[in-house]
Amino acid sequence: MSRIRRTARQNKTMLMKTGSYYVIHICVAALVAYAVTGNLWASLTLSLLEPTVQAVAFFFHEKAWDRAARRTANEAAAAQTSSAALQPA
């Protein structure tokens, strides 16, 4: 349980962003599904299923982009350090 709490604390902003995206996505999906089907229950079912899967995918998508940005920053810092070491004093 402490691992889940630590992960939640470390990813608080990303989880909040994912949550707000989820709520907006459910609302849009419900409206679209209702416009297409004209059935309230079908639109609610569709609007809860698809955004739930999307929210999970979005979280991991954001994690991947965050990891890529850190890797790029680390590579740039390493390149800058190595080029500084090669310059005469």
Side-chain angles (χ1 to χ4, degrees):
M1 191 61 147
S2 65
R3 184 176 179 193
I4 293 171
R5 285 187 186 134
R6 184 179 55 237
T7 301
R9 261 187 261 116
Q10 290 172 343
N11 296 292
K12 183 179 178 182
T13 301
M14 198 177 306
L15 287 168
M16 290 174 59
K17 186 177 178 182
T18 302
S20 67
Y21 172 79
Y22 178 72
V23 170
I24 290 170
H25 199 141
I26 285 176
C27 293
V28 170
L31 290 172
V32 170
Y34 185 74
V36 171
T37 65
N39 183 321
L40 180 63
W41 290 115
S43 66
L44 291 175
T45 301
L46 290 171
S47 68
L48 290 173
L49 177 64
E50 192 270 340
T52 301
V53 173
Q54 286 289 345
V56 172
F58 178 76
F59 176 80
F60 289 108
H61 175 262
E62 286 290 304
K63 293 286 289 179
W65 275 96
D66 192 41
R67 188 178 308 120
R70 280 196 314 268
R71 185 173 44 240
T72 302
N74 289 341
E75 289 171 359
Q80 186 177 17
T81 302
S82 66
S83 68
L86 294 175
Q87 293 181 358

